[in-house]
Amino acid sequence: GDLDKVVNLLLSLSGRLARVETALGSLGPHTPAEDKLALREKQRLLVAQLEDAKELKEHMGRREEAVGAMVARYLPAEHLQDYQHFVKMKSALIAEQRELEEKIKLGQEQLRCLRESL
């Protein structure tokens, strides 16, 4: 459960940071200074939060190793391999699920825009 939360947090923060950086890159020369400053501050906060989330993920990695070592003492080799595979795949599947959800949202938004334009 913690792994789900941390992976989702990392994906969420990196997505938000990417959107802020895109917004900063698309600012025109006539954009008010306070708007630029607000976006830069948001970027700074998101970078700091992302670093904190990465540290949390590293901590979880160390905890995962400790739990894995403990589990290894009680599981037979084939069950241990299954457990290790599950743990590795879980993060990848969470990231893939999040990516697919984002693609679905984008597709729905594009469909809505197309319907409105017709």
Side-chain angles (χ1 to χ4, degrees):
D2 289 345
L3 181 61
D4 290 348
K5 291 174 187 171
V6 171
V7 170
N8 280 323
L9 177 63
L10 284 166
L11 292 171
S12 175
L13 288 171
S14 60
R16 289 173 58 200
L17 181 59
R19 286 190 295 277
V20 167
E21 288 175 347
T22 299
L24 275 170
S26 66
L27 292 178
H30 303 295
T31 302
E34 59 269 1
D35 290 350
K36 290 179 185 178
L37 187 60
L39 280 173
R40 285 193 184 108
E41 179 62 18
K42 185 179 268 191
Q43 180 187 33
R44 186 188 66 73
L45 290 172
L46 286 169
V47 166
Q49 289 174 340
L50 189 58
E51 289 303 314
D52 289 345
K54 286 178 183 178
E55 287 178 24
L56 186 58
K57 176 117 172 54
E58 289 173 13
H59 172 73
M60 287 199 54
R62 291 188 298 274
R63 192 174 83 184
E64 179 184 318
E65 288 176 17
V67 170
M70 192 180 335
V71 168
R73 287 185 268 169
Y74 297 102
L75 289 180
E78 74 178 41
H79 289 103
L80 180 60
Q81 287 177 338
D82 289 343
Y83 168 78
Q84 290 169 337
H85 178 72
F86 170 77
V87 171
K88 285 180 186 175
M89 291 304 298
K90 188 162 180 146
S91 291
L93 291 173
I94 292 168
E96 187 174 338
Q97 178 184 8
R98 182 71 177 244
E99 183 180 334
L100 290 172
E101 288 170 353
E102 291 294 322
K103 286 181 180 180
I104 289 170
K105 282 182 188 177
L106 176 62
Q108 289 171 337
E109 181 66 23
Q110 289 174 338
L111 184 60
R112 185 186 62 76
C113 289
L114 283 171
R115 285 184 179 148
E116 287 176 1
S117 69
L118 294 175

